[in-house]
Amino acid sequence: MVHHPVKSSRIASVAYDKRTATLEIRFHDRSMLQYQGVPTRIYNDFLRVVSKGRYYDGVVKGKFKETKVN
């Protein structure tokens, strides 16, 4: 997946695989999480919203299957 850097105090970059509907989020602490079954619309909105952290907390975290990536 190709990561796109974002302006956020917590999130460094995001990537999306349309074929598998997988959203991948890399944090500034270098941890990375993948979320399964994420609609393309949510990824597109993620790139557009001003507060990435708030969007992540309210729309992504806890709403989709989460996997930690090493």
Side-chain angles (χ1 to χ4, degrees), residues 1-39:
M1 276 187 267
V2 177
H3 273 257
H4 300 278
V6 296
K7 288 188 178 187
S8 170
S9 60
R10 289 173 32 200
I11 299 168
S13 63
V14 296
Y16 186 72
D17 184 336
K18 187 183 263 188
R19 186 179 55 80
T20 62
T22 301
L23 175 68
E24 193 169 84
I25 300 174
R26 181 178 293 130
F27 296 87
H28 286 297
D29 69 1
R30 299 192 182 198
S31 64
M32 193 159 31
L33 297 173
Q34 282 187 346
Y35 293 90
Q36 310 299 319
V38 178

Side-chain angles (χ1 to χ4, degrees), residues 41-42 45-46 54-64:
R41 172 188 54 80
I42 288 180
D45 288 349
F46 206 124
R54 281 189 189 161
Y55 190 81
Y56 168 71
D57 288 340
V59 177
V60 177
K61 187 177 179 181
K63 309 284 192 303
F64 300 96

